[in-house]
Amino acid sequence: SFTKSADKKALIKSADKKKLTDKTRQQLEKITEWMDSDREYGISEIAEFLGIKETRTRELVKALIQLKKIEATGKNKGRRYRKTVQRD
């Protein structure tokens, strides 16, 4: 079965809209509670902390960026993540 890239993109988009599972929610909370706002972290550091693979960590980080809980700086290999400072 041959899947066109447009179909793949549609699949990815529908996966993005999926409701967060309890486990995912727990992992997201764990990351934000663990991070200090005055320090930047790499994917490997976050993955090591959670004890999960980097691919899964990237998915979680992407979700946190969309939720505006953390922000990314840098590009590609040099990309780092920092907790967003909550302004009241």
Side-chain angles (χ1 to χ4, degrees), residues 47-80:
E48 201 176 307
F49 164 71
L50 285 175
I52 59 176
K53 293 187 177 163
E54 289 188 15
T55 310
R56 172 69 178 146
T57 306
R58 276 193 191 86
E59 288 176 11
L60 294 169
V61 164
K62 190 174 158 189
L64 286 171
I65 291 169
Q66 287 174 342
L67 294 167
K68 304 222 185 301
K69 298 278 185 196
I70 64 174
E71 53 196 15
T73 55
K75 288 202 177 352
N76 302 326
K77 249 188 156 175
R79 180 159 286 190
R80 310 286 288 162

Side-chain angles (χ1 to χ4, degrees), residues 32 35-39 64-65 67-72 81-87:
T32 50
M35 285 177 112
D36 286 324
S37 51
D38 59 348
R39 165 162 197 266
L64 286 171
I65 291 169
L67 294 167
K68 304 222 185 301
K69 298 278 185 196
I70 64 174
E71 53 196 15
Y81 303 91
R82 152 193 311 203
K83 194 173 182 179
T84 310
V85 181
Q86 299 297 322
R87 292 175 187 88

